[in-house]
Amino acid sequence: MIVMAEQRIKILIVDDTAETRENLRKLLSFGQGFTVAGEAENGKEAIALAKRVRPDVILMDVNMPIMGGIEATEAISVEVPTTTVIVMSVQGESEYLREAMAAGARDYLIKPFSADDLVNTIRRAHDMDSRRRERFAPAPIALRRTGRIVAVFSTKGGVGKTTIATNLAAELATHAHKSVVLVDLDLQFGDVAIMLDSIPVRTIADIAKEDEIDSELVEACLLTHKSGVRVLASPLRPEQAEVITAKHVEAILTLLAETHDFIIADMPQGLNDITLTALDAADRILLVTTLELPAIKNARLCLEIMEALGYGQDKVKLVLNRSSRDIGLSIEEMEKILRRSVDVHIPSDGRVVVPSVNKGVPFVTSAPSARISQTIRDLARAVGPSDAERAAMAAAAGAGAGAGAGVGVAAGALGGGHGGGARRQMSIAGRIFSIFTGG
């Protein structure tokens, strides 16, 4: 069982002097219930970090290079309104105080200050903002997730699933300008890191070792690719996969979806509890196949199982990789066997794909004008919300505003319309047996 972290006040320290940041860390250690979520050297860094880690409180110095504290406070008050900003300065003039409050700061500390002054100011400002939000905010909506989870899945190896997942993530990050996390759930033999020419320092196994999982822990285990894609790599050794459970995956996907636009999950081939947990959580499942008889046979079985699990055609998109009319089976024959049409065709282009894989550079960035790259753009559009989904989300938001207490994040975000908790507790064998016996 995953125990989520207790409610601690997450603090971001912003000061251009390393010694001051270290002293603030020491002062905070005298109080209980604080955790330092990050540090920044100037206002520009503070804004970017605040958007990513969503701290409860920011300790913001006034005078800094590149961008000062007043300007950064104003931007954060607009862009991250749930964060409380406390401004710090060696100057106690009323003019500075007025500017800080006008920019959105909740309190003001004059340097030097004691540990008691710091702790009491943080708690007072945080409690005041929390009460204000509770009073004026609408009732919480059960579905807290903002990001879209996309599972890239196949029932057969060698169909190009990981290549599609890495290029889709790069396309969304570089051209669609979305915040994207690529999660390698092929826990024993994942290739996402090598496909992006990256060497992970920490992996999903490091998260699973901890008793508590929070956004700070997950964030610390992500590496950043030069395309802008954040990557949560698979374990470095196959045996390390044993520590990871479906509950870990459920918690990780929930936390990532709170802070990113898209979470692309590169899935393993088989069906197990971890796979089904991710598939349940997904807004889109990209089922990848090729024009080979074994791949088509497995895809048909997979579609039958997904239909029985209640995954509609809006959720499951059929992706034909290496699509061509120059080989044995025709696309029409394949669609007849599968009893559904292909949603996205990705052409065969070894001259572009093979060098891309060998160099660890997504072809959507190395060859953006290639036809295969253009089809990945079609795929990127297909994973976004449909018109019907947008209408449903708007209706849910309206209904949620008048509802009672919301469901917790982990249960509400992943329990979603697929029978959720009870079915996830059933073994994979039990679930598939139930499907085909009508139970």
Side-chain angles (χ1 to χ4, degrees):
M1 178 179 178
I2 299 299
V3 179
M4 302 307 291
E6 61 176 329
Q7 293 297 318
R8 300 171 67 85
I9 299 176
K10 291 197 302 181
I11 297 173
L12 174 61
I13 299 172
V14 186
D15 196 292
D16 59 328
T17 305
E19 184 179 358
T20 300
R21 297 196 301 271
E22 181 60 30
N23 288 337
L24 286 169
R25 278 184 176 270
K26 290 177 181 177
L27 290 175
L28 289 168
S29 68
F30 289 103
Q32 298 294 321
F34 300 127
T35 181
V36 177
E39 298 180 6
E41 295 183 357
N42 57 66
K44 189 173 182 180
E45 288 183 9
I47 295 169
L49 196 55
K51 290 179 181 179
R52 194 161 71 237
V53 304
R54 304 281 170 170
D56 299 308
V57 174
I58 297 178
L59 298 175
M60 180 80 73
D61 189 33
V62 169
N63 296 312
M64 293 179 293
I66 302 177
M67 180 186 288
I70 300 296
E71 186 180 353
T73 297
E74 187 172 0
I76 289 169
S77 297
V78 173
E79 298 182 45
V80 195
T82 56
T83 294
T84 300
V85 180
I86 298 172
V87 167
M88 308 176 295
S89 177
V90 295
Q91 297 166 313
E93 288 86 353
S94 59
E95 182 62 30
Y96 275 97
L97 178 59
R98 282 196 300 271
E99 288 185 11
M101 296 306 173
R106 297 299 298 177
D107 217 324
Y108 195 99
L109 280 167
I110 300 173
K111 298 177 182 179
F113 42 78
S114 67
D116 285 343
D117 288 338
L118 177 63
V119 169
N120 292 335
T121 300
I122 290 172
R123 285 186 174 146
R124 182 174 62 246
H126 179 258
D127 289 347
M128 185 184 301
D129 267 359
S130 296
R131 288 196 301 270
R132 179 174 55 83
R133 284 193 291 268
E134 287 174 3
R135 182 176 179 182
F136 294 107
I141 300 169
L143 199 59
R144 281 293 180 192
R145 204 173 67 212
T146 55
R148 293 180 67 78
I149 299 173
V150 180
V152 186
F153 184 65
S154 175
T155 50
K156 184 180 180 301
V159 299
K161 170 180 59 66
T162 302
T163 300
I164 290 172
T166 53
N167 279 275
L168 174 60
E171 171 63 28
L172 288 167
T174 56
H175 297 122
H177 306 294
K178 302 294 184 181
S179 61
V180 182
V181 180
L182 179 56
V183 181
D184 195 343
L185 289 181
D186 191 347
L187 299 176
Q188 289 190 317
F189 298 103
D191 290 326
V192 164
I194 196 170
M195 293 280 280
L196 293 174
D197 192 27
S198 300
I199 302 175
V201 176
R202 304 186 71 186
T203 73
I204 191 172
D206 293 287
I207 298 175
K209 292 175 186 175
E210 302 295 331
D211 294 330
E212 300 176 346
I213 296 179
D214 59 18
S215 57
E216 184 181 358
L217 172 62
V218 175
E219 181 73 21
C221 293
L222 301 180
L223 65 87
T224 302
H225 185 254
K226 58 187 176 183
S227 64
V229 175
R230 313 295 303 288
V231 178
L232 182 57
S234 61
L236 300 176
R237 300 280 307 171
E239 63 271 17
Q240 294 174 346
E242 295 177 4
V243 303
I244 302 161
T245 68
K247 286 290 186 181
H248 292 117
V249 171
E250 183 176 26
I252 289 166
L253 292 177
T254 301
L255 290 167
L256 288 173
E258 290 176 352
T259 53
H260 296 82
D261 297 321
F262 283 93
I263 299 86
I264 310 298
D266 186 28
M267 306 290 290
Q269 294 167 34
L271 287 170
N272 55 38
D273 286 342
I274 287 177
T275 305
L276 289 173
T277 294
L279 293 178
D280 276 350
D283 298 282
R284 286 281 186 275
I285 299 170
L286 303 181
L287 179 58
V288 182
T289 189
T290 56
L291 286 171
E292 300 168 324
L293 195 57
I296 295 170
K297 182 265 294 183
N298 288 355
R300 175 168 175 173
L301 289 173
C302 185
L303 286 170
E304 290 176 358
I305 291 173
M306 288 181 174
E307 182 179 359
L309 289 171
Y311 302 163
Q313 288 201 13
D314 279 346
K315 176 165 180 166
V316 182
K317 299 296 181 183
L318 184 61
V319 179
L320 177 59
N321 195 24
R322 304 174 195 136
S323 178
S324 173
R325 296 187 179 277
D326 298 330
I327 57 179
L329 282 173
S330 71
I331 296 171
E332 290 77 14
E333 287 174 319
M334 186 201 74
E335 291 178 329
K336 185 176 180 181
I337 293 170
L338 297 181
R339 296 196 291 271
R340 67 169 291 172
S341 300
V342 173
D343 294 292
V344 178
H345 294 259
I346 299 178
S348 179
D349 194 344
R351 290 176 297 179
V352 171
V353 175
V354 173
S356 163
V357 171
N358 289 337
K359 293 177 182 178
V361 179
F363 55 73
V364 294
T365 56
S366 63
S369 61
R371 180 165 168 256
I372 190 171
S373 298
Q374 294 170 10
T375 60
I376 295 295
R377 294 189 193 104
D378 295 336
L379 192 61
R381 286 188 286 271
V383 300
S386 65
D387 292 340
E389 287 172 324
R390 289 191 185 95
M393 286 188 288
V407 180
V409 170
L414 292 176
H418 310 305
R423 197 181 68 215
R424 275 198 300 278
Q425 295 172 6
M426 193 186 302
S427 69
I428 178 62
R431 285 178 66 175
I432 294 177
F433 178 79
S434 176
I435 288 168
F436 289 107
T437 57

mmCIF file of all heavy atoms in Angstrom, residues 153-174:
data_model
loop_
_atom_site.group_PDB
_atom_site.id
_atom_site.type_symbol
_atom_site.label_atom_id
_atom_site.label_comp_id
_atom_site.label_asym_id
_atom_site.label_seq_id
_atom_site.Cartn_x
_atom_site.Cartn_y
_atom_site.Cartn_z
ATOM 1 N N PHE A 153 0.575 1.215 -26.625
ATOM 2 C CA PHE A 153 0.511 -0.196 -26.276
ATOM 3 C C PHE A 153 0.546 -1.068 -27.527
ATOM 4 O O PHE A 153 0.077 -0.677 -28.591
ATOM 5 C CB PHE A 153 -0.782 -0.465 -25.496
ATOM 6 C CG PHE A 153 -0.930 -1.870 -24.992
ATOM 7 C CD1 PHE A 153 -0.064 -2.376 -24.040
ATOM 8 C CD2 PHE A 153 -1.950 -2.684 -25.469
ATOM 9 C CE1 PHE A 153 -0.213 -3.671 -23.564
ATOM 10 C CE2 PHE A 153 -2.110 -3.979 -25.004
ATOM 11 C CZ PHE A 153 -1.233 -4.469 -24.044
ATOM 12 N N SER A 154 1.116 -2.255 -27.368
ATOM 13 C CA SER A 154 1.105 -3.249 -28.437
ATOM 14 C C SER A 154 1.133 -4.624 -27.806
ATOM 15 O O SER A 154 1.655 -4.810 -26.698
ATOM 16 C CB SER A 154 2.302 -3.075 -29.367
ATOM 17 O OG SER A 154 2.326 -4.122 -30.326
ATOM 18 N N THR A 155 0.566 -5.585 -28.506
ATOM 19 C CA THR A 155 0.570 -6.960 -28.003
ATOM 20 C C THR A 155 1.683 -7.790 -28.637
ATOM 21 O O THR A 155 1.763 -8.983 -28.394
ATOM 22 C CB THR A 155 -0.788 -7.618 -28.306
ATOM 23 O OG1 THR A 155 -1.096 -7.424 -29.682
ATOM 24 C CG2 THR A 155 -1.880 -7.004 -27.455
ATOM 25 N N LYS A 156 2.526 -7.140 -29.425
ATOM 26 C CA LYS A 156 3.618 -7.855 -30.095
ATOM 27 C C LYS A 156 4.840 -6.955 -30.140
ATOM 28 O O LYS A 156 4.728 -5.741 -30.367
ATOM 29 C CB LYS A 156 3.207 -8.265 -31.513
ATOM 30 C CG LYS A 156 4.261 -9.092 -32.245
ATOM 31 C CD LYS A 156 3.784 -9.461 -33.636
ATOM 32 C CE LYS A 156 4.837 -10.294 -34.367
ATOM 33 N NZ LYS A 156 6.127 -9.578 -34.509
ATOM 34 N N GLY A 157 6.002 -7.545 -29.928
ATOM 35 C CA GLY A 157 7.240 -6.784 -29.994
ATOM 36 C C GLY A 157 7.647 -6.487 -31.425
ATOM 37 O O GLY A 157 7.175 -7.118 -32.379
ATOM 38 N N GLY A 158 8.501 -5.483 -31.584
ATOM 39 C CA GLY A 158 9.057 -5.179 -32.896
ATOM 40 C C GLY A 158 8.152 -4.388 -33.815
ATOM 41 O O GLY A 158 8.419 -4.291 -35.012
ATOM 42 N N VAL A 159 7.072 -3.793 -33.267
ATOM 43 C CA VAL A 159 6.162 -3.041 -34.136
ATOM 44 C C VAL A 159 6.463 -1.540 -34.110
ATOM 45 O O VAL A 159 5.762 -0.759 -34.761
ATOM 46 C CB VAL A 159 4.686 -3.285 -33.739
ATOM 47 C CG1 VAL A 159 4.331 -4.756 -33.878
ATOM 48 C CG2 VAL A 159 4.402 -2.775 -32.334
ATOM 49 N N GLY A 160 7.480 -1.123 -33.353
ATOM 50 C CA GLY A 160 7.859 0.292 -33.340
ATOM 51 C C GLY A 160 7.166 1.120 -32.275
ATOM 52 O O GLY A 160 7.099 2.340 -32.368
ATOM 53 N N LYS A 161 6.669 0.457 -31.229
ATOM 54 C CA LYS A 161 5.911 1.127 -30.183
ATOM 55 C C LYS A 161 6.732 2.215 -29.483
ATOM 56 O O LYS A 161 6.267 3.350 -29.302
ATOM 57 C CB LYS A 161 5.423 0.092 -29.164
ATOM 58 C CG LYS A 161 4.831 0.647 -27.892
ATOM 59 C CD LYS A 161 4.397 -0.482 -26.983
ATOM 60 C CE LYS A 161 5.530 -1.402 -26.611
ATOM 61 N NZ LYS A 161 6.556 -0.734 -25.779
ATOM 62 N N THR A 162 7.958 1.896 -29.080
ATOM 63 C CA THR A 162 8.783 2.867 -28.355
ATOM 64 C C THR A 162 9.199 4.015 -29.266
ATOM 65 O O THR A 162 9.264 5.172 -28.831
ATOM 66 C CB THR A 162 10.018 2.173 -27.751
ATOM 67 O OG1 THR A 162 9.584 1.122 -26.876
ATOM 68 C CG2 THR A 162 10.876 3.158 -26.959
ATOM 69 N N THR A 163 9.475 3.727 -30.528
ATOM 70 C CA THR A 163 9.805 4.793 -31.479
ATOM 71 C C THR A 163 8.639 5.768 -31.613
ATOM 72 O O THR A 163 8.834 6.989 -31.635
ATOM 73 C CB THR A 163 10.134 4.187 -32.861
ATOM 74 O OG1 THR A 163 11.247 3.301 -32.728
ATOM 75 C CG2 THR A 163 10.482 5.272 -33.863
ATOM 76 N N ILE A 164 7.430 5.244 -31.673
ATOM 77 C CA ILE A 164 6.249 6.106 -31.774
ATOM 78 C C ILE A 164 6.080 6.917 -30.494
ATOM 79 O O ILE A 164 5.813 8.126 -30.534
ATOM 80 C CB ILE A 164 5.002 5.257 -32.065
ATOM 81 C CG1 ILE A 164 5.073 4.699 -33.496
ATOM 82 C CG2 ILE A 164 3.719 6.066 -31.864
ATOM 83 C CD1 ILE A 164 3.988 3.694 -33.830
ATOM 84 N N ALA A 165 6.252 6.272 -29.338
ATOM 85 C CA ALA A 165 6.067 6.972 -28.061
ATOM 86 C C ALA A 165 7.069 8.117 -27.898
ATOM 87 O O ALA A 165 6.687 9.227 -27.500
ATOM 88 C CB ALA A 165 6.209 5.985 -26.901
ATOM 89 N N THR A 166 8.337 7.876 -28.211
ATOM 90 C CA THR A 166 9.353 8.920 -28.035
ATOM 91 C C THR A 166 9.135 10.069 -29.013
ATOM 92 O O THR A 166 9.287 11.242 -28.651
ATOM 93 C CB THR A 166 10.769 8.341 -28.205
ATOM 94 O OG1 THR A 166 10.862 7.633 -29.448
ATOM 95 C CG2 THR A 166 11.115 7.389 -27.082
ATOM 96 N N ASN A 167 8.776 9.761 -30.244
ATOM 97 C CA ASN A 167 8.552 10.830 -31.227
ATOM 98 C C ASN A 167 7.272 11.599 -30.950
ATOM 99 O O ASN A 167 7.218 12.819 -31.171
ATOM 100 C CB ASN A 167 8.559 10.248 -32.644
ATOM 101 C CG ASN A 167 9.961 10.051 -33.169
ATOM 102 O OD1 ASN A 167 10.569 10.965 -33.712
ATOM 103 N ND2 ASN A 167 10.493 8.851 -32.983
ATOM 104 N N LEU A 168 6.238 10.917 -30.459
ATOM 105 C CA LEU A 168 5.014 11.617 -30.076
ATOM 106 C C LEU A 168 5.292 12.598 -28.942
ATOM 107 O O LEU A 168 4.836 13.748 -28.971
ATOM 108 C CB LEU A 168 3.951 10.603 -29.654
ATOM 109 C CG LEU A 168 2.649 11.184 -29.092
ATOM 110 C CD1 LEU A 168 1.959 12.075 -30.113
ATOM 111 C CD2 LEU A 168 1.725 10.061 -28.627
ATOM 112 N N ALA A 169 6.066 12.148 -27.948
ATOM 113 C CA ALA A 169 6.403 13.030 -26.829
ATOM 114 C C ALA A 169 7.206 14.234 -27.301
ATOM 115 O O ALA A 169 6.941 15.377 -26.906
ATOM 116 C CB ALA A 169 7.184 12.248 -25.771
ATOM 117 N N ALA A 170 8.191 13.981 -28.178
ATOM 118 C CA ALA A 170 9.013 15.085 -28.690
ATOM 119 C C ALA A 170 8.186 16.060 -29.521
ATOM 120 O O ALA A 170 8.378 17.277 -29.450
ATOM 121 C CB ALA A 170 10.177 14.526 -29.514
ATOM 122 N N GLU A 171 7.252 15.537 -30.310
ATOM 123 C CA GLU A 171 6.387 16.398 -31.127
ATOM 124 C C GLU A 171 5.524 17.300 -30.245
ATOM 125 O O GLU A 171 5.405 18.502 -30.484
ATOM 126 C CB GLU A 171 5.493 15.531 -32.015
ATOM 127 C CG GLU A 171 4.405 16.282 -32.767
ATOM 128 C CD GLU A 171 4.927 17.302 -33.750
ATOM 129 O OE1 GLU A 171 6.046 17.125 -34.278
ATOM 130 O OE2 GLU A 171 4.213 18.295 -33.991
ATOM 131 N N LEU A 172 4.931 16.728 -29.216
ATOM 132 C CA LEU A 172 4.085 17.512 -28.316
ATOM 133 C C LEU A 172 4.883 18.585 -27.580
ATOM 134 O O LEU A 172 4.393 19.690 -27.337
ATOM 135 C CB LEU A 172 3.388 16.592 -27.310
ATOM 136 C CG LEU A 172 2.263 15.710 -27.867
ATOM 137 C CD1 LEU A 172 1.884 14.628 -26.868
ATOM 138 C CD2 LEU A 172 1.041 16.546 -28.233
ATOM 139 N N ALA A 173 6.128 18.253 -27.227
ATOM 140 C CA ALA A 173 6.953 19.199 -26.467
ATOM 141 C C ALA A 173 7.536 20.294 -27.344
ATOM 142 O O ALA A 173 7.518 21.470 -26.967
ATOM 143 C CB ALA A 173 8.075 18.453 -25.747
ATOM 144 N N THR A 174 8.038 19.936 -28.536
ATOM 145 C CA THR A 174 8.771 20.905 -29.347
ATOM 146 C C THR A 174 7.876 21.733 -30.248
ATOM 147 O O THR A 174 8.074 22.946 -30.392
ATOM 148 C CB THR A 174 9.826 20.190 -30.217
ATOM 149 O OG1 THR A 174 9.189 19.192 -31.024
ATOM 150 C CG2 THR A 174 10.885 19.524 -29.354
#
